[in-house]
Amino acid sequence: MACLVINKSDEGCAGRVGTLLKEGKAGIIPCDTIYGLSAIAVPECGERLYEIKRRPQSKSFITLMSKEDATSSSLDIPSDIMDRWPAPLTAIVRDRESGLTHAVRVPSDSFIQEVLRISGPIYSTSVNFSGEKSLLTFSEIYPVFSSLVDFAVDDPSVAGGIASTLIDATVKPYRVIR
């Protein structure tokens, strides 16, 4: 499989990435924290991410979504968290319908916000094989993952980063996980 490389500065990049994700493609995209291995938030695309990442299915992915999608979802998101979004803050919340928990975030980066407007919610996880350290730069990521994904977005301004803060918002007081 040939990996399509897209430069983030290319005109229409967010639209192209949003469309690729909506088509069921998996890719590497820069986010407001670190690069993410991402695909649209549907079960079959999640399965592909598990395979790419070599991750046990007992460990779920973060779902990135627009604030509008978060507001209209069946997720029980506390208002004080909703008021802080968009931000590099991931919250574990409960789905009011199923009772299951989900890690969700509304990213602050305008590029990702535009992608999400087109694609809808996406799964995102750090770019690494399960149990290994995260790869933080495009030059580290591309040689390892280019044969495993459909596309990769190169953003020269991303030179590493810090993963989002992760809290469990299903308990009071909230518990900081990372």
Side-chain angles (χ1 to χ4, degrees), residues 13-150:
C13 178
R16 191 169 186 194
V17 170
T19 300
L20 288 166
L21 290 165
K22 199 168 188 171
E23 291 172 351
K25 307 289 188 204
I28 308 294
I29 58 177
C31 203
D32 56 342
T33 53
I34 59 177
Y35 274 97
L37 173 60
S38 300
I40 196 158
V42 296
E44 55 273 11
C45 291
E47 293 295 324
R48 179 149 181 234
L49 291 183
Y50 280 114
E51 289 174 19
I52 292 169
K53 193 167 170 88
R54 303 176 190 159
R55 183 179 180 128
Q57 292 194 10
S58 59
K59 298 176 111 185
S60 59
F61 299 118
I62 292 171
T63 302
L64 301 180
M65 56 180 55
S66 67
K67 194 161 184 173
E68 295 76 19
D69 284 339
T71 302
S72 65
S73 74
S74 61
L75 299 173
D76 187 15
I77 303 169
S79 60
D80 59 334
I81 291 173
M82 192 64 82
D83 291 344
R84 291 182 186 188
W85 280 339
L89 172 66
T90 301
I92 298 172
V93 297
R94 197 165 302 282
D95 186 302
R96 289 186 294 271
E97 294 172 1
S98 70
L100 298 174
T101 58
H102 300 275
V104 297
R105 179 160 53 93
V106 175
S108 58
D109 181 78
S110 61
F111 169 76
I112 295 298
Q113 287 178 5
E114 179 62 23
V115 168
L116 291 169
R117 277 191 278 284
I118 296 162
S119 68
I122 60 174
Y123 292 131
S124 186
T125 182
S126 57
V127 185
N128 62 314
F129 295 117
S130 191
E132 296 181 8
K133 72 177 185 108
S134 297
L135 302 176
L136 300 176
T137 64
F138 192 81
S139 62
E140 291 176 320
I141 293 167
Y142 188 77
V144 177
F145 283 88
S146 63
S147 65
L148 302 173
V149 297
D150 301 304

